[in-house]
Amino acid sequence: RQENLLNPGGCFECCIKCLGGIPYASLIATILLYAGVALFCGCGHEALSGTVNILQTYFEMARTAGDTLDVFTMIDIFKYVIYGIAAAFFVYGILLMVEGFFTTGAIKDLYGDFKITTCGRCVSAWFIMLTYLFMLAWLGVTAFTSLPVYMYFNLWTICRNTTLVEGANLCLDLRQFGIVTIGEEKKICTVSENFLRMCESTELNMTFHLFIVALAGAGAAVIAMVHYLMVLSANWAYVKDACRMQKYEDIKSKEEQELHDIHSTRSKERLNAYT
């Protein structure tokens, strides 16, 4: 270390070696994953809170007493799911970064070929399977997040049409979206005061755009999972080739040692015969 401090060239070489050991592909995928999860969880949570306010203020819906599973209870469950997703993928991103470091040349030189090719091979296979399942899960989350975007787009379109067409009487019934039961009529029409107040408020526009950003975050998480799959597949091929190379080096070293022993034995026999 003292030599590296006194020698600028040694510090430069050390920095180049450290930079060469960074898994840039895994780093990019991790940043994309964190950005997507942050957008989905943050904007999704705020959009759900805005949805509760809209239902209570303009559709005049109230929470059902008791343990009945209503739309407000479902929204609370979705919020807890968002908390779990944020925590789980924060840890998973760190694990994938660690796996990426363990398949770089710097860690390989530090711990040796054998540990990387044995442990790293099993870890890469496990992460490939797990990342593939998470990619399918995020595809489902993306499809599910598009539903509230579609609902709010219809509501936003109705608000826009009322300003363009005078005298239009359009209604939005929550039963057609499955938010309330069939026997419970909760609809709002353009001629009502609540509808006009809702269209003029910024809460509707904000909630709509928050759901759009949450949908974009879910899509970014899907792209990050695909990126991780490519990185992990490359790491799998790397450790597999390293394992084969290690076996080849062991066989080659063993053969060279046998040839050296044979040559030493023959030299001793010739020396004894000459003596």
Side-chain angles (χ1 to χ4, degrees):
R1 293 181 180 177
Q2 293 179 355
E3 293 179 356
N4 290 334
L5 291 175
L6 296 175
N7 186 8
C11 292
F12 179 76
E13 293 178 358
C14 182
C15 292
I16 293 299
K17 186 176 181 180
C18 292
L19 292 175
I22 297 176
Y24 291 101
S26 298
L27 181 61
I28 294 173
T30 303
I31 294 174
L32 184 60
L33 176 64
Y34 283 168
V37 172
L39 289 176
F40 173 77
C41 294
C43 296
H45 183 274
E46 293 301 317
L48 290 174
S49 300
T51 301
V52 172
N53 294 332
I54 290 174
L55 292 176
Q56 291 177 341
T57 304
Y58 305 109
F59 288 89
E60 299 179 352
M61 294 182 61
R63 291 181 179 268
T64 306
D67 298 332
T68 305
L69 186 64
D70 57 356
V71 62
F72 297 105
T73 305
M74 293 296 297
I75 289 176
D76 292 337
I77 293 174
F78 290 150
K79 287 183 178 180
Y80 286 114
V81 171
I82 285 175
Y83 300 150
I85 289 175
F89 280 93
F90 176 77
V91 176
Y92 189 66
I94 294 176
L95 292 178
L96 288 177
M97 276 297 298
V98 172
E99 193 275 340
F101 273 108
F102 268 90
T103 51
T104 54
I107 301 298
K108 182 177 178 181
D109 294 336
L110 182 62
Y111 289 103
D113 292 338
F114 182 74
K115 289 185 179 180
I116 289 297
T117 53
T118 53
C119 297
R121 192 172 182 180
C122 297
V123 170
S124 296
W126 169 255
F127 275 119
I128 287 174
M129 181 186 67
L130 199 60
T131 304
Y132 181 75
L133 295 177
F134 282 147
M135 184 196 69
L136 296 179
W138 273 109
L139 284 174
V141 170
T142 305
F144 183 78
T145 310
S146 64
L147 295 179
V149 174
Y150 172 73
M151 297 177 188
Y152 274 96
F153 177 75
N154 287 337
L155 185 57
W156 178 77
T157 303
I158 293 175
C159 289
R160 183 181 179 186
N161 290 335
T162 56
T163 58
L164 297 178
V165 182
E166 295 183 359
N169 186 13
L170 304 176
C171 296
L172 179 68
D173 196 343
L174 296 181
R175 291 178 295 182
Q176 64 184 348
F177 298 110
I179 297 178
V180 296
T181 59
I182 300 297
E184 186 179 4
E185 183 178 357
K186 289 293 182 181
K187 68 178 181 179
I188 187 171
C189 298
T190 56
V191 295
S192 63
E193 183 181 355
N194 286 339
F195 185 84
L196 296 177
R197 288 173 48 233
M198 181 181 62
C199 292
E200 292 175 357
S201 66
T202 59
E203 193 172 16
L204 175 64
N205 192 35
M206 178 63 68
T207 304
F208 177 42
H209 286 87
L210 284 174
F211 271 119
I212 292 177
V213 177
L215 179 61
V222 173
I223 297 175
M225 290 293 104
V226 174
H227 196 167
Y228 269 129
L229 280 177
M230 293 188 293
V231 173
L232 292 171
S233 299
N235 291 344
W236 167 261
Y238 170 78
V239 296
K240 189 176 181 180
D241 292 340
C243 184
R244 291 179 179 177
M245 184 62 66
Q246 180 66 35
K247 292 179 180 179
Y248 171 75
E249 293 293 337
D250 293 340
I251 295 174
K252 182 179 179 181
S253 178
K254 186 177 180 181
E255 290 179 353
E256 291 178 353
Q257 184 64 34
E258 291 178 354
L259 291 174
H260 182 269
D261 294 340
I262 293 173
H263 181 71
S264 299
T265 303
R266 289 181 178 179
S267 298
K268 291 180 180 179
E269 291 177 354
R270 291 176 181 177
L271 181 61
N272 293 333
Y274 177 77
T275 305

